[in-house]
Amino acid sequence: MSEVTGVVQSQKKKKPWLGQAAPPGYVPGLGRGATGFTTRSDIGPARDVSDPTDDRHAPPGLRTVGDQMKASRKTEEEDEDLNDANYDEFSGYAGNLFSSGPYEKDDEEADAVYETVDRKMDERRKQYREKREKEELEKFREERPKIQQMFSDLKRKLSVISEDDWTNIPDVGDARNKRQRNPMREKITPVPDSLFTRGLAQNATVNTLDARQQQFGGINTPFPGASGLNTPFPGTATPGWATPAGELDMRKIGQARNTLMDMRLSQVSDSVTGQTVVDPKGYLTDLHSMLPQYGGDVADIKKARLLLKSVRETNPKHPPAWIASARLEEVTGKLQVARNIIMKGTEMCPKSEDVWLEAARLQPSDTAKAVCASAIVQLPQSVRIWIRAAGLETDAKAKKRVFRKALEHVPNSVRLWKVSVELEDTDDARIMLSRAVECCPHSTELWLALAKLEDYQNARKVLNKAREHIPTDRHIWITAAKLEEANDNMKMVDKIIERSIVSLKANMVDISRDQWIQDGENAEKSGSIVTCQSIIKNVIGIGVEDEDRKHTWMDDAESCISHGAYECARAIYAHALNTLPSKKSIWLRAAYLEKSHGSRESLESLLQKAVAHCPKAEVLWLMGAKSKWMANDVAAARSILALAFQANPNSEDIWLAAVKLESENNEHDRARKLLAKARANACTARVMMKSVKLEWCLNKLDNADSLLSEATKQYPEFAKLWMMKGQIQEQLGKVLEAREAYTAGLGKCPRAIPLWILLSKLEQSKGNLTKARAVLEKARLKNPMCADLWLASIRLEWNAGIKNIASSLMARALQECPSSGLLWAEAIFIEARPQRKTKSVDALKKCEHDSSVLLAVARLFWSERKLTKAREWFLRTVKIDQDFGDAWAFFYRFELNHGNEEKQKEVLKRCVNAEPRHGQMWQSVSKDITNWKLKTKELLLLVAAKVSVAF
C-alpha cells in the first residue's frame, strides 16, 4: 500500500508539460522581461516555402535540426513501410509479420494480381484525373498567365509600327550597379608592322651567311673568359638575330583583306538592284502580311471558330452562321478559307440572298460574276443581287444590259428603274420612265421624274395621271404649282394649292403645318417664290387657335428667317398683317425684315401701309422719314414728319426727329425755330437739352448758358443738363463755376455716376489728386457696387504712378463687383505680362459673355502676335455686342495693321450697319462737341486712330 502511495505521489510531482512541444510563438523568459536581443544565428537563414520546417522546439527524439537528427530519422523512415497494405484500422501502420519469411511463387502471383487490380483502377480514374488537372491548369493560367501570353497582342502590333516609332523606343533601364554598367574602356593599341615582321623572322630558316659570319666562321661573340679567341662556342647561335628570308608587304595584306570583305558583302547582296536581301523597310511589311490582321486573343478566335462550326453542323440551313464564319476567317487573314466556307454556304442555303451577296463580295471580280450568275438562277427576283451583278461590270453598255435583264424579271422594282434610268440619256430615259410608271404606278418619284423630262403640256398630263393614281401625296400638287409658275401661269398656282388641301382632306390626309412650311422653304430655295407664298398663305392658319395666332405666326416667321427663307417670312407677316392690321409689333417686325433683307422701296411701301393702319405709332413715322433722309430725299422726309405732326401733335420724338433732320442738312435756323415751337408746345427735359446742345454746337455759348439756367430751374433732376452746364463752363475756362455746377448737380442727382466722374476729372486736371480721390470715395459710398466708379478710382491711381494702391483697389473692386466685365478687362492689363494669361482665364470664368472681357482677350492675343486667334475673338466680340464701339475701333485698327483691304472694308461696312453708340473711347469721341456732325464711318476712323497698338 505504501508503494502504491509513493507511485501516485511521484506522478503528482511530475509536471504535465515536460517532454511536450512548445506552443507556437513561445519565447523563453518573455513573461518576466528577459527577452535579450536576436541575431541572425537565432533567426536562421532565409528559407523558401518548400523548405522543411525548423522544429527546434519539438519534443526529444523528434527534432529535425542537425545532421545526427536527420541521420537517425532517415534510418527510421527507411525501415518503416507506409504502404496501404501495411495499414490497419485499429493499430495503424505496423511491420509485416511475415517479412522475414520466404517469398514464394504464390506470393508473387498474389502481388501480380493486386498490381493488375491497381492498374485497372488507376485507368478508370485516369480520365477524370486528367480532366481535373487540365481544368486546374487552365484556371491557373487564367490567374497567372505566361509572359508570352500577356504580350501576344503587343507583339502583333509590332507589324503596324513605323520605322520612326521603332527608333524612338527608349532603352530599357539597366539594373546593374555602377561598375557593371560603366566598365572601364578596354584600350586597344594598334600593333606596329615591325612587330609582325620581327615575329616572322624568329622562326625563319637562313641558307646564306653574311660577310661577318664568313669572316669569323660563326658567331661574332667570343667565348666568355677566353681572351683573344675569335672562335665561337660550338653548337650555339644567337636567337632572334637571324636574317629574314624576305620583306613582308603589308599593303598587299590590306588589299587582300578588302577583297575578302567585298566577296562576303557580295554574297549577301542582290546582283540586280545592289541592295541587301534583308530589306529593313520591307521587313515589317512582310511581317504585317504574314501575321493575321486580327489584334485580339488567339484563344478567342479558336473559341469563335469552334462555336460557329458547331452552329453550322447543328443547323446547316442557317445563313447567318455561314456568313459569320466567313467573316471570321476574313478578319484573321485566311481569305481563301473564308471563300471556301461561303461557297459551301451557298450550297447549303441556295435561297439566301445574304449568303450569295457575301460570296460575291469575297470572291475576285471574275469569280464574283460567276457567283452572281449562279445566284440569279436561284433567286431571279432579288433586286440586290441584280444591282450587285451590274456593279461588277465596268462597261456602261454591260451595265445597261444587266439592268434591262433585271427589269424583265422584276418589273415592279422602283429601285431598279431608278438606277437604270440614271444610265440613259434624256430620250431613252423618257421612254423608260413611261414604261416605269406603268409598271410602278404608285411611285411618286418616277412620276415626278417623268414630268421633269416632258414639255409643259405633256407634264400637265403626267401630273394629272399621277394625282389619279396617288391622290394622297402632296408633292405632286406642289410640283404642278411649280410647273405653272415656271410657265408664267401665276393665277393657277393659288388654285392648285387650294385644291390640293381640299383633295388631301377629302382623302383623309392630315395637313401638317410644319411639313407644308418646310415645303414652302424648299420651294423658295428652288426659285418658286409664288408657290412658296401660296403655300404659306393657305396653310399658316390651319390648326391655330385665335388666341395663339400672333405668337405662333411670329415664331414661324423667326424660324423661317433663321433658315434663310425670307420670302416665307414675308408671306407669314403679310398674312398676319391682313388678319391683324392694328398690331404695331407685327408691322415693326416686318419693317425690320425689309430693312435687313429687303430693298428701300419695299420698306417704304410697307411703312406707308403701316402708318395708315397705326397712325399713333411714332416709330413707324420716324423709320419712314429716316429711310427717305438716307436716300437724300429731304423733302419727302419733311412731308412724312409733317403728316406725323398731324397724327401726333405733341410728340417729343417727332419734334426732335424734325430738328435732327434740319440740323443734319445745315438748316440751323429752321432747327432753332422748331425747337422754340417744341419748347412752347411740348416742352420736356429732352427738348431743353437738344436746344442747349444745338446752341452749344453752333458755338453760341451765351444762349446755351441762358437756356441751361432756365432748364436747370425747370428740370433740376435731369442730370445731363448739369453735365452740359459744367462742361460749357470748363470750355470757357471758368473752373469755379464748373465745380459749382457739378456740385449743384450732385446735390440734386446723387445717383448720376457721370457727374461724379466729371467732377473727379476736373480736380485731376487741375492737379488736385487728393480732392479727386475724395470725390470718388464719396461717390462710392453713395453708390455702392458701381463698377464705373471703381474703374475711375483705379485709373486715377494708375495714372498717378501709384501702382500698388491701384492693384489693392482692383482687388477690393473685384470683391465688391465680381461679375463686372469692365473691371476684369482692366485687371488683365494691370497685371504683368506673365500673369495676364492667367488673369484672362479667371475673367472668362466670371464673365464668359461680357463684351469688355472678350475685347480684352482679343487684345491680349494681339499683343502676343497670335493674329488668327485675335481675329476670332474680335469677331466674337462684335457678334455678341454690335453696339460696343470700342470693339469696332480695335477690330478696325487690327485689320489696318495685319489685314488686307478686303477685310478692312468688311469691318468698316459692318460697323456702319451696326451704328454703335456705346463704349468709353467711342463716346469720348462721338460726344465731343466738335464731332457733332460726323457719321459712323468718320467716328470709327477717329477712334481707331486713338487706339494704342502696344499693350
Side-chain angles (χ1 to χ4, degrees):
M1 186 67 183
S2 61
E3 292 178 359
V4 175
T5 304
V7 172
V8 173
Q9 289 178 355
S10 63
Q11 290 179 355
K12 289 182 179 180
K13 291 181 180 179
K14 186 177 179 180
K15 302 300 182 182
W17 41 264
L18 291 176
Q20 296 183 3
Y26 171 72
V27 179
L30 183 63
R32 63 179 185 273
T35 56
F37 57 89
T38 305
T39 61
R40 173 55 66 181
S41 60
D42 297 323
I43 300 174
R47 292 180 288 108
D48 193 9
V49 179
S50 60
D51 292 343
T53 57
D54 187 4
D55 298 333
R56 289 184 291 178
H57 300 286
L62 296 177
R63 302 181 69 179
T64 59
V65 180
D67 295 337
Q68 296 178 356
M69 296 293 179
K70 290 180 180 179
S72 61
R73 290 289 296 165
K74 184 176 181 181
T75 55
E76 293 176 0
E77 289 175 359
E78 290 177 355
D79 294 340
E80 188 178 1
D81 187 8
L82 300 178
N83 193 4
D84 293 341
N86 197 28
Y87 178 76
D88 184 72
E89 185 178 0
F90 299 100
S91 61
Y93 291 98
N96 190 357
L97 298 176
F98 306 100
S99 60
S100 59
Y103 187 73
E104 297 178 352
K105 189 175 182 179
D106 297 337
D107 299 330
E108 184 179 358
E109 291 178 357
D111 291 339
V113 171
Y114 283 119
E115 185 178 357
T116 304
V117 173
D118 292 339
R119 193 183 307 113
K120 291 291 185 180
M121 295 298 294
D122 185 65
E123 289 178 357
R124 292 177 60 184
R125 291 190 294 264
K126 181 179 179 181
Q127 184 177 2
Y128 173 74
R129 184 175 65 252
E130 289 179 352
K131 182 180 179 181
R132 180 172 53 82
E133 291 176 354
K134 184 178 179 181
E135 293 177 354
E136 291 178 354
L137 181 60
E138 290 178 354
K139 183 177 180 181
F140 178 76
R141 290 304 181 195
E142 289 179 359
E143 295 177 353
R144 299 178 60 184
K146 293 182 180 180
I147 299 297
Q148 182 180 3
Q149 296 176 352
M150 294 171 64
F151 293 96
S152 60
D153 55 340
L154 299 178
K155 286 182 179 180
R156 293 190 191 92
K157 290 182 181 178
L158 291 177
S159 61
V160 297
I161 194 172
S162 63
E163 187 176 356
D164 296 336
D165 295 337
W166 180 267
T167 55
N168 291 330
I169 294 177
D171 296 334
V172 180
D174 198 344
R176 297 177 298 173
N177 56 27
K178 184 176 181 182
R179 181 172 297 178
Q180 290 175 339
R181 288 198 307 269
N182 302 317
M184 296 295 293
R185 290 185 178 180
E186 184 179 359
K187 296 181 179 180
I188 301 175
T189 304
V191 181
D193 296 342
S194 59
L195 185 61
F196 290 107
T197 305
R198 186 178 304 169
L200 290 174
Q202 289 181 359
N203 299 324
T205 305
V206 181
N207 54 11
T208 58
L209 297 174
D210 59 0
R212 292 174 61 196
Q213 290 178 336
Q214 292 178 2
Q215 179 182 357
F216 297 105
I219 61 174
N220 199 15
T221 304
F223 186 77
S227 59
L229 294 177
N230 200 18
T231 304
F233 188 74
T236 62
T238 306
W241 293 96
T243 303
E247 296 182 357
L248 184 65
D249 193 350
M250 300 303 297
R251 183 175 60 82
K252 292 183 179 180
I253 293 176
Q255 292 177 354
R257 181 177 57 194
N258 293 337
T259 304
L260 181 62
M261 182 63 68
D262 291 338
M263 292 175 60
R264 291 181 178 177
L265 291 175
S266 299
Q267 292 177 359
V268 295
S269 300
D270 190 0
S271 60
V272 179
T273 60
Q275 296 183 359
T276 58
V277 175
V278 181
D279 186 6
K281 294 183 178 179
Y283 182 74
L284 292 177
T285 306
D286 296 338
L287 183 65
H288 180 70
S289 62
M290 291 171 61
L291 291 178
Q293 300 292 331
Y294 182 69
D297 194 358
V298 178
D300 296 338
I301 299 176
K302 293 181 179 179
K303 291 179 182 178
R305 189 178 287 119
L306 291 174
L307 178 61
L308 292 173
K309 181 180 179 182
S310 175
V311 174
R312 295 197 307 270
E313 293 175 353
T314 304
N315 188 6
K317 301 296 183 180
H318 188 55
W322 296 98
I323 297 173
S325 300
R327 290 184 179 178
L328 175 65
E329 301 300 337
E330 181 188 8
V331 168
T332 55
K334 298 180 180 180
L335 187 58
Q336 188 58 42
V337 178
R339 291 171 179 171
N340 297 336
I341 291 175
I342 200 63
M343 293 308 296
K344 183 68 174 176
T346 57
E347 297 176 3
M348 303 303 297
C349 307
K351 299 300 181 181
S352 174
E353 185 183 45
D354 294 331
V355 172
W356 285 108
L357 290 173
E358 187 70 15
R361 185 184 68 84
L362 291 175
Q363 297 292 345
S365 179
D366 297 336
T367 312
K369 293 180 181 179
V371 171
C372 288
S374 302
I376 289 170
V377 173
Q378 298 291 335
L379 299 167
Q381 301 294 324
S382 175
V383 177
R384 295 169 61 193
I385 293 178
W386 282 106
I387 293 176
R388 177 61 181 169
L392 293 173
E393 301 292 342
T394 56
D395 188 15
K397 292 183 179 179
K399 288 185 177 181
K400 292 179 182 179
R401 187 165 55 250
V402 172
F403 280 131
R404 288 177 181 177
K405 192 71 174 178
L407 289 172
E408 293 178 2
H409 289 83
V410 195
N412 58 350
S413 173
V414 177
R415 185 178 179 187
L416 280 177
W417 282 108
K418 288 172 63 177
V419 295
S420 60
V421 167
E422 290 176 356
L423 297 175
E424 305 291 342
D425 54 8
T426 305
D427 296 333
D428 294 338
R430 186 186 299 111
I431 297 172
M432 291 193 69
L433 284 172
S434 300
R435 177 59 180 163
V437 295
E438 294 177 1
C439 297
C440 306
H442 298 288
S443 174
T444 305
E445 295 178 349
L446 295 178
W447 284 106
L448 296 181
L450 179 59
K452 288 181 181 179
L453 295 177
E454 297 287 354
D455 56 6
Y456 174 54
Q457 296 297 333
N458 292 332
R460 295 180 68 181
K461 296 178 181 178
V462 169
L463 291 175
N464 288 331
K465 291 181 180 179
R467 287 200 297 268
E468 292 175 0
H469 288 90
I470 314 173
T472 59
D473 197 327
R474 68 182 188 281
H475 294 96
I476 299 175
W477 293 94
I478 295 173
T479 304
K482 291 180 181 179
L483 178 64
E484 299 296 339
E485 182 181 357
N487 291 274
D488 297 330
N489 193 1
M490 304 301 178
K491 295 181 179 179
M492 288 297 297
V493 175
D494 199 27
K495 292 181 180 180
I496 290 173
I497 299 299
E498 291 178 358
R499 290 176 185 174
S500 67
I501 295 175
V502 174
S503 175
L504 291 174
K505 287 183 178 179
N507 287 280
M508 305 302 292
V509 177
D510 185 21
I511 305 298
S512 174
R513 289 179 65 259
D514 296 335
Q515 291 181 355
W516 280 88
I517 291 174
Q518 182 66 35
D519 292 334
E521 294 179 1
N522 295 332
E524 179 183 352
K525 292 177 182 178
S526 63
S528 303
I529 305 301
V530 179
T531 304
C532 156
Q533 295 173 350
S534 178
I535 291 173
I536 296 298
K537 183 178 70 173
N538 285 279
V539 303
I540 193 66
I542 297 177
V544 180
E545 299 292 337
D546 293 343
E547 295 81 5
D548 300 332
R549 288 182 299 181
K550 178 183 175 183
H551 178 71
T552 304
W553 291 342
M554 295 302 102
D555 290 342
D556 293 337
E558 292 297 330
S559 176
C560 292
I561 293 173
S562 64
H563 297 158
Y566 304 118
E567 293 296 335
C568 291
R570 287 191 181 95
I572 293 173
Y573 284 136
H575 181 78
L577 291 173
N578 289 331
T579 308
L580 306 170
S582 61
K583 294 293 184 180
K584 183 181 73 171
S585 59
I586 302 178
W587 287 106
L588 284 175
R589 288 173 180 265
Y592 288 137
L593 175 64
E594 296 297 335
K595 182 179 179 181
S596 302
H597 305 288
S599 61
R600 182 176 62 85
E601 291 78 8
S602 61
L603 174 61
E604 292 175 357
S605 63
L606 178 69
L607 289 174
Q608 288 179 2
K609 297 177 183 178
V611 296
H613 289 88
C614 302
K616 298 297 182 180
E618 302 170 359
V619 63
L620 296 176
W621 291 103
L622 296 178
M623 288 181 68
K626 185 176 182 180
S627 177
K628 293 292 185 180
W629 173 45
M630 297 298 292
N632 296 323
D633 192 354
V634 180
R638 287 172 180 164
S639 62
I640 291 175
L641 289 176
L643 294 175
F645 274 124
Q646 295 177 5
N648 304 278
N650 294 321
S651 174
E652 176 188 90
D653 293 331
I654 295 176
W655 279 108
L656 295 180
V659 171
K660 184 177 182 180
L661 176 64
E662 301 298 339
S663 62
E664 291 289 342
N665 290 281
N666 297 322
E667 297 289 343
H668 304 304
D669 294 335
R670 297 185 65 175
R672 295 173 70 184
K673 290 179 181 178
L674 286 173
L675 285 171
K677 290 182 180 179
R679 290 195 300 271
N681 298 324
C683 186
T684 61
R686 287 187 64 204
V687 171
M688 295 298 295
M689 181 190 69
K690 293 294 183 180
S691 302
V692 174
K693 186 177 181 181
L694 181 60
E695 299 295 339
W696 188 9
C697 293
L698 297 176
N699 203 20
K700 296 182 179 181
L701 302 182
D702 296 335
N703 295 338
D705 193 13
S706 61
L707 286 173
L708 277 172
S709 300
E710 180 184 353
T712 51
K713 292 179 182 177
Q714 193 172 357
Y715 305 101
E717 295 182 354
F718 193 67
K720 288 187 177 181
L721 295 174
W722 296 105
M723 296 179 201
M724 296 173 72
K725 186 173 183 178
Q727 288 173 338
I728 290 174
Q729 298 300 330
E730 280 190 65
Q731 185 177 348
L732 294 173
K734 300 178 180 179
V735 180
L736 294 177
E737 287 79 358
R739 186 183 291 115
E740 290 176 358
Y742 290 144
T743 306
L746 290 173
K748 299 292 183 179
C749 310
R751 301 293 181 184
I753 307 302
L755 263 178
W756 291 103
I757 296 176
L758 285 173
L759 179 57
S760 173
K761 288 182 177 180
L762 175 64
E763 300 296 345
Q764 187 178 356
S765 63
K766 299 305 176 182
N768 299 327
L769 296 180
T770 305
K771 288 186 177 181
R773 191 179 293 116
V775 168
L776 291 175
E777 289 179 358
K778 185 178 180 181
R780 293 202 306 271
L781 290 175
K782 292 191 175 183
N783 301 278
M785 301 179 67
C786 181
D788 293 327
L789 292 175
W790 279 107
L791 184 61
S793 301
I794 293 166
R795 288 179 176 175
L796 173 65
E797 305 297 342
W798 188 267
N799 295 331
I802 313 175
K803 297 184 178 181
N804 55 348
I805 296 180
S807 300
S808 62
L809 283 175
M810 178 61 73
R812 292 172 55 194
L814 291 176
Q815 289 180 355
E816 188 171 339
C817 307
S819 59
S820 172
L822 281 174
L823 293 176
W824 280 108
E826 190 73 17
I828 292 175
F829 293 100
I830 281 183
E831 297 289 339
R833 281 187 177 272
Q835 284 79 32
R836 287 181 181 178
K837 193 171 184 180
T838 306
K839 203 70 173 181
S840 66
V841 174
D842 298 337
L844 287 173
K845 290 180 180 178
K846 294 290 185 179
C847 312
E848 184 178 359
H849 301 291
D850 190 273
S851 57
S852 299
V853 174
L854 296 179
L855 176 60
V857 174
R859 292 170 58 193
L860 182 61
F861 282 124
W862 185 9
S863 65
E864 296 176 356
R865 307 294 295 177
K866 298 178 180 178
L867 304 182
T868 304
K869 288 187 176 181
R871 183 176 284 108
E872 292 177 358
W873 282 88
F874 277 127
L875 288 171
R876 190 180 302 179
T877 306
V878 297
K879 184 178 180 180
I880 286 179
D881 189 3
Q882 295 186 355
D883 195 47
F884 190 32
D886 293 359
W888 290 108
F890 276 102
F891 192 12
Y892 186 69
R893 183 59 182 271
F894 173 80
E895 295 297 348
L896 287 177
N897 291 348
H898 306 288
N900 51 27
E901 186 177 358
E902 182 181 357
K903 292 184 177 180
Q904 295 168 11
K905 290 181 179 179
E906 181 184 358
V907 173
L908 185 61
K909 181 181 178 181
R910 290 180 61 185
C911 180
V912 171
N913 293 333
E915 297 182 357
R917 296 181 180 275
H918 295 88
Q920 294 182 347
M921 295 181 62
W922 185 271
Q923 289 183 335
S924 66
V925 175
S926 63
K927 290 186 178 297
D928 191 351
I929 204 64
T930 58
N931 302 327
W932 69 288
K933 280 190 175 184
L934 296 183
K935 306 293 183 183
T936 304
K937 181 178 180 180
E938 291 83 1
L939 290 174
L940 178 63
L941 298 177
L942 288 177
V943 179
K946 293 179 63 177
V947 168
S948 60
V949 179
F951 306 108

